[in-house]
Amino acid sequence: MQAYVYKSLRKADTYVYLATRDDFARLPEPLRTQLGALQFVLEVALTPERKLALEDAGVVRENLSQRGFHLQFPPTVDDPMKEDWGTDA
């Protein structure tokens, strides 16, 4: 399965995978409004062996099959101050 990946020019580190290139009609209108302009960045074959850096390729394939799109949000950043730094005296 081919996927076409676009980045949001309004929302940093937010990407949309589409099953069909430039098929933005698949995206719900409120989502299109929030994402703003989308810029094409990558065409990728989502084979069962394919590994993606931040997403589960199986989940992406399933969403593309069912909805025609997959939305990738920015990774969450944990608060480093909550971490045990081992500095207790």
Side-chain angles (χ1 to χ4, degrees):
M1 166 183 278
Q2 287 298 111
Y4 304 90
V5 185
Y6 299 81
K7 72 176 181 177
S8 169
L9 298 180
R10 182 178 290 164
K11 299 277 187 181
D13 298 322
T14 301
Y15 295 87
V16 175
Y17 293 69
L18 294 176
T20 305
R21 187 166 180 157
D22 298 335
D23 187 12
F24 303 115
R26 289 289 203 165
L27 302 174
E29 184 60 37
L31 179 60
R32 279 190 276 169
T33 301
Q34 286 183 1
L35 294 174
L38 297 171
Q39 181 180 31
F40 178 77
V41 293
L42 176 69
E43 178 180 348
V44 61
L46 292 177
T47 63
E49 302 81 28
R50 171 68 68 181
K51 301 280 188 224
L52 298 174
L54 299 176
E55 294 291 312
D56 180 325
V59 172
V60 175
R61 281 193 310 275
E62 184 175 328
N63 286 337
L64 291 176
S65 293
Q66 291 180 1
R67 298 184 187 115
F69 74 94
H70 173 81
L71 187 59
Q72 176 180 313
F73 293 103
T76 58
V77 178
D78 292 331
D79 183 354
M81 299 310 290
K82 291 181 180 178
E83 192 172 313
D84 181 7
W85 292 56
T87 56
D88 293 343

